């Protein structure tokens, strides 16, 4: 049964569309009358938090978005950065949190599909994907179900489409019990002179619908993603989109083929808010009106109303403004690939957004105001942080350091995520040089003898909660370090800002201060934000997630023959710490996961030191002086040494007697701007002299030797024992028959 366009607009109906009374009054003032039902849906789609960024716009404008390599910053489907030789990398990260909690497989799958479309809409062929996943505590009755469904969805779509997943994160915390996070990243390669934008140009030109047919799946998806969850969550299942990766692959090839013909004037994928958002954005950016006739929209269900067609978020669809004389050629390409091609409207010069359906004008709205006049809030926010550094004397040393390290490596957040990434195709396309398990994924630039790109995604939510400003800085710094640890020059970043309800001053304070920290770090590290996404209202029954501003970064490796790996150490190599001794246990993984304590301020981030130490490490890698490298982050020096030993399958002889401070601080503290590198024995003195000359703090910790990690006077653990502990938690968790029976 079709939904009529004439429905009484009630207070309940307005609220059901996520509009507040003052926002509805703004609509009345703009159009001078009561909206039709379809128009109400259009305003709901365009003015929700997910599409309009009405709570975050003020602060997003403060972020650094330009640089010598930046070709396209925020405002398009994805950011674009020059990598030389006429090539550029196109990338973005965005969330699919709410859909993935409601329907894990399809929510995660369509999150991957959406971000891939953002990339190839720009004219780029996708070459790499990442995903940052966060779930509730492992013992929660829904966690295992969510992990299984989300991982299967990410792999099911990405593997079928044919893009390697080369990096990401998986973490657990009780604060995600009612709202998991699925942040998807994709990157592609394009020619710098063949980038396609969404700005419509020219009057009277055909607006063309491309791809799959429109159904009722995902109607109201963007509005759903802009609201908190409660007990009625199951009722929102129909708002989750359904994906088809094989159709998406055909759409990719058809779009790239079409782009070579010169037929495309503007192109936009149909993501959040579907046909509404794509048409409005194309027209408004070009200062043009858009007229759509929905009778020509390809549909897969009977009796679809205008409201449903305009708000459907059916996947694998594009909207394009076409050169009229190229229509036949364009249509032939899409027919060849088995996809729909339909002229559904035209550009106009009246700055109106007109929707026709079955001979009736169901919507007639000012197109600019739909986007430009969306509410923009300067919400009240509260300054947060102010925690004092934890006195290390207040934390007892472990009785058994070896067991403490095993407890850390075998805990859910620090255990190997091999079970997850082995569900993904990490090698398809044949260009993967580093797959998940190290600091960053690395992919060759096809057609170039030596060039490669590195990708990393990072944030430490417990830091952000304790001090949003320092936590924001740290997220950027760690991403930058992870790229550097491969030898890559960090080029630019994308952000995915996941927070709770911004109408609460403490949550808004988290967002504001995190953005301030991110901005300062990006500026100091020449690491501009070129794209991104904001996901707010991540709460269930008033319980907010941990503030999670995920940073995705891209780095350039000029010669992949000189890149560093986490596992490249050789017997006899010197083990050298770059950076100072550690003493900061506040908010450390060891305290959280082994002692059950979350206390004190997070480690401060000295951006000058980050830059100085990182530039030194990168130079040493590019001079072929480093055999392996790993940045020190969660788990501190102990976890770093263990992970390097496991990756190299070699032991280490370590002596901390020359270091300053108590052993548990040295081993488990998480002071920033630090790396562990291994260096051939004959180069060690030269490298340390270079470090001293550059004003870099360093220590020689020991040598690569034997088959055990030996730390003088503290522990001796066979590498095989480290690996068995590190690799066992996730398979045991996912294959737990008792957990299966309980679900």
């Amino acid at each position: 049964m079709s939904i009529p366009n004439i429905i009484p607009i009630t207070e309940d109906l307005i609220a059901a569309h996520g509009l507040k009374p003052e926002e509805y009054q703004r609509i009345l003032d703009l159009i001078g009358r009561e909206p039709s039902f379809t128009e109400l849906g259009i305003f709901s789609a365009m003015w929700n938090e997910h599409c309009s960024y009405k709570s975050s716009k003020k602060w997003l404008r403060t972020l650094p978005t330009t640089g010598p390599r930046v070709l396209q910053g925020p405002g398009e489907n994805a950011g674009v950065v020059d990598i030389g030789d006429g090539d550029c990398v196109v990338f973005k990260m965005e969330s699919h949190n709410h859909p993935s909690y409601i329907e894990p497989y399809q929510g995660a799958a369509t999150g991957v599909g959406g971000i891939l479309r953002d990339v190839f809409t720009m004219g780029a062929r996708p070459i790499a994907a990442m995903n940052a996943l966060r779930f509730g505590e492992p013992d929660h009755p829904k966690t295992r179900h969510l992990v299984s469904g989300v991982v299967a969805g990410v792999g099911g779509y990405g593997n079928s489409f044919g893009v390697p997943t080369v990096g990401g994160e998986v973490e657990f915390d009780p604060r995600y019990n009612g709202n998991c996070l699925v942040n998807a990243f994709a990157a592609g390669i394009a020619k710098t002179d063949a980038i396609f934008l969404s700005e419509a140009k020219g009057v009277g030109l055909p607006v063309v619908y491309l791809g799959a047919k429109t159904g009722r799946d995902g109607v109201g998806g963007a509005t759903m993603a802009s609201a908190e969850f409660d007990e009625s969550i199951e009722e929102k299942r129909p708002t989750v989109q359904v994906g088809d990766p094989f159709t998406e692959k055909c759409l990719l090839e058809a779009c790239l083929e079409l782009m070579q013909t010169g037929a495309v004037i503007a192109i936009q994928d149909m993501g959040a808010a579907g046909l509404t958002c794509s048409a409005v954005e194309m027209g408004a950016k070009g200062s043009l009106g858009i007229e759509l006739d929905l009778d020509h929209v390809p549909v897969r269900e009977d009796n679809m109303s205008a409201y449903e067609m305009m708000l459907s978020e059916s996947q694998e669809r594009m909207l394009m403004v076409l050169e009229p004389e190229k229509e036949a050629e364009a249509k032939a390409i899409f027919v060849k690939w088995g996809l729909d091609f339909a002229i559904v409207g035209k550009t106009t010069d009246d700055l109106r957004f007109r929707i026709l359906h079955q001979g009736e004008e169901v919507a007639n709205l000012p197109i600019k105001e739909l986007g430009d006049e969306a509410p923009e809030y300067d919400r009240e926010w509260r300054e947060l942080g102010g925690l004092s550094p934890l006195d290390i004397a207040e934390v007892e040393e472990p009785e058994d350091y070896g067991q403490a390290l095993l407890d850390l490596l075998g805990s859910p957040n620090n255990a190997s995520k091999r079970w997850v990434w082995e569900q993904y195709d990490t090698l398809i396309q044949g260009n993967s040089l580093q797959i998940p398990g190290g600091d960053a994924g690395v992919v060759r630039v096809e057609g170039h003898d030596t060039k490669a790109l590195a990708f990393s995604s990072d944030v430490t939510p417990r830091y952000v909660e304790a001090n949003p400003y320092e936590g924001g800085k740290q997220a950027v710094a760690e991403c930058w370090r992870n790229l550097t640890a491969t030898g890559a020059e960090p080029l630019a970043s994308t952000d995915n800002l996941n927070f709770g309800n911004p109408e609460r001053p403490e949550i808004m304070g988290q967002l504001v201060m995190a953005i301030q920290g991110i901005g300062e770090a990006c500026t100091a590290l020449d690491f501009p934000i070129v794209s991104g996404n904001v996901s707010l209202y991540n709460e269930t029954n008033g319980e907010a997630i941990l503030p999670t501003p995920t940073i995705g970064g891209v780095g350039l490796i000029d010669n992949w023959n000189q890149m560093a790996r986490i596992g490249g150490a050789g017997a006899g190599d010197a083990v050298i710490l770059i950076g100072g001794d550690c003493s900061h246990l506040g908010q450390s993984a060891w305290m959280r996961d082994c002692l059950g304590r979350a206390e004190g301020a997070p480690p401060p981030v000295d951006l000058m030191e980050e830059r100085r130490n990182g530039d030194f490490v990168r130079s040493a890698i590019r001079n072929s002086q480093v055999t392996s490298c790993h940045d020190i982050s969660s788990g501190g020096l102990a976890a770093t040494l263990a992970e390097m030993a496991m990756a190299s399958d070699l032991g280490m002889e370590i002596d901390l007697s020359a270091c300053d401070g108590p052993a548990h601080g040295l081993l488990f503290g998480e002071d920033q701007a630090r790396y562990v590198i291994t260096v051939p024995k004959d180069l060690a003195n030269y490298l340390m002299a270079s470090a001293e000359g550059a004003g870099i703090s360093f220590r020689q910790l020991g040598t690569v030797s034997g088959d055990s990690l030996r730390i003088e006077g503290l522990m001796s653990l066979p590498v095989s024992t480290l690996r068995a502990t590190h690799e066992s938690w996730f398979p045991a968790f996912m294959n737990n028959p008792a957990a299966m029976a309980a679900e």
Side-chain angles (χ1 to χ4, degrees), residues 182-195:
V182 176
N183 294 175
F185 170 101
I189 297 289
K191 293 296 179 182
T192 56
D193 60 356
I195 295 297

Side-chain angles (χ1 to χ4, degrees), residues 49 55 97-98 175-176 179 181 225-228 379 497-504 506-508 510-511 534-540 542-548:
E49 192 73 57
S55 296
N97 304 334
H98 290 64
R175 294 277 292 281
Y176 302 107
N179 201 130
L181 299 187
S226 303
E228 299 177 36
R379 297 196 185 278
L497 308 178
N498 309 272
F499 293 83
N501 185 343
E503 297 167 47
R504 294 163 55 191
E506 66 275 16
I507 300 295
M508 195 64 204
Q510 292 175 342
L511 175 63
V534 180
S535 174
L536 304 180
Y537 296 94
N538 290 287
E539 317 196 348
T540 299
E543 177 75 15
I545 62 163
L546 287 173
T548 312

Side-chain angles (χ1 to χ4, degrees), residues 13 29 37 115 196 214 220 264 277 296 365 410 449 524 599 648 661:
L13 189 63
D29 295 341
F37 182 59
I115 198 64
F196 292 83
T214 294
V264 179
C277 193
H296 300 298
L365 297 169
D449 290 340
E599 301 169 27
S648 299

Side-chain angles (χ1 to χ4, degrees), residues 32-55:
R33 56 176 172 81
E34 186 176 83
S36 69
F37 182 59
T38 301
E39 289 174 333
L40 182 69
I42 289 170
F43 272 109
S44 169
M46 293 301 299
W47 284 16
N48 63 63
E49 192 73 57
H50 195 73
C51 293
S52 73
Y53 298 101
K54 57 191 177 186
S55 296

Side-chain angles (χ1 to χ4, degrees), residues 125 127 203 274 284 300 407 718 735:
R125 181 173 292 278
I127 63 162
V203 176
R300 62 171 187 261
D407 291 345
N735 298 320

Side-chain angles (χ1 to χ4, degrees), residues 607-673:
L607 293 168
M608 290 183 63
E609 187 179 20
E610 289 282 2
R611 183 67 180 258
R612 186 169 59 248
N613 292 359
D615 289 351
F616 177 81
V617 168
R618 188 183 313 108
S619 175
I621 293 170
R622 293 185 166 192
N623 289 329
S624 302
Q625 297 167 338
V626 173
T627 54
S628 68
C629 180
H630 193 15
D631 85 304
I632 300 178
S633 54
S634 205
L637 177 62
T640 300
L641 293 171
E643 289 162 1
M644 295 178 77
M646 289 185 285
S648 299
D649 199 25
L650 287 169
M652 293 180 176
E653 298 280 349
I654 303 297
D655 186 353
L656 302 180
S657 59
C659 300
D660 296 325
H664 58 324
L666 295 171
L667 286 173
F668 300 117
E670 297 178 4
D671 295 52
Q672 301 292 293

Side-chain angles (χ1 to χ4, degrees), residues 196-427:
F196 292 83
L197 305 178
S198 59
E199 179 185 337
K201 297 177 182 178
V203 176
L205 299 180
V207 176
V208 184
Y209 175 116
L210 310 167
K213 289 180 169 55
T214 294
R216 290 187 171 94
D217 57 314
V219 172
T223 302
M224 172 273 293
S226 303
E228 299 177 36
F229 286 151
D230 55 28
E231 289 80 2
S232 66
I233 186 171
E234 289 299 319
E235 299 172 10
K236 301 179 190 283
R237 192 174 295 273
T239 63
V240 179
Q241 310 88 340
V242 178
D244 179 355
F246 301 104
T247 298
E248 179 117 330
K249 175 64 173 173
C250 292
L251 183 62
L252 161 72
E253 299 299 342
C255 284
L256 294 184
E257 186 174 339
L258 177 64
M259 288 167 173
Q260 293 177 0
T261 67
V264 179
I265 295 173
I267 189 165
Q268 175 83 0
D269 87 292
M270 293 192 217
L275 185 55
T276 292
C277 193
S278 56
V280 169
E281 287 187 359
M282 288 176 72
K285 284 181 180 176
S287 296
L288 296 170
I290 298 284
E291 180 182 297
L292 298 179
D293 187 345
L294 301 186
D295 294 346
H296 300 298
V297 171
V299 295
R300 62 171 187 261
E301 298 184 49
D302 295 332
N303 298 317
M304 288 192 69
S305 67
Y307 178 96
E308 291 170 322
M309 281 190 270
M310 293 306 297
L311 269 68
S312 167
E313 295 183 11
S314 294
Q315 299 291 285
E316 295 83 45
R317 302 181 301 157
M318 298 280 196
L319 202 65
M320 177 182 72
V321 176
L322 175 72
E323 291 280 5
E325 64 272 15
K326 302 265 188 182
E327 179 186 331
E329 185 179 4
K331 185 174 182 177
I333 291 170
F334 275 77
V335 169
K336 178 183 73 173
W337 286 100
L339 299 167
D340 279 293
F341 178 101
I343 295 175
V344 296
K346 63 182 179 182
T347 58
T348 64
D349 62 358
D350 59 3
L351 289 175
R352 304 297 294 181
F353 187 44
R354 297 181 68 230
I355 311 297
L356 309 176
H357 186 226
Q358 297 177 353
E360 178 188 359
E361 185 178 78
V362 296
N364 189 333
L365 297 169
I367 198 166
K368 281 279 197 180
E369 285 78 354
L370 274 172
D372 297 347
E373 294 297 324
E376 181 175 338
Y377 295 122
D378 185 5
R379 297 196 185 278
E380 179 186 356
W381 61 280
R382 186 179 304 158
E383 191 162 339
L384 304 166
L387 295 174
S388 299
L390 180 67
D391 186 349
I392 201 165
E394 297 177 9
V395 185
E396 291 186 11
E397 294 191 49
E399 293 183 5
D400 184 333
Y401 274 90
Q403 189 58 52
L405 176 57
L406 292 175
D407 291 345
L408 181 69
L409 294 176
S411 64
N413 283 316
N414 303 292
S416 168
K417 306 306 186 296
R418 181 183 299 274
W419 184 93
V420 173
W421 54 259
E422 283 189 344
Q423 313 299 308
Y424 308 146
D425 195 329
T426 59
L427 299 173

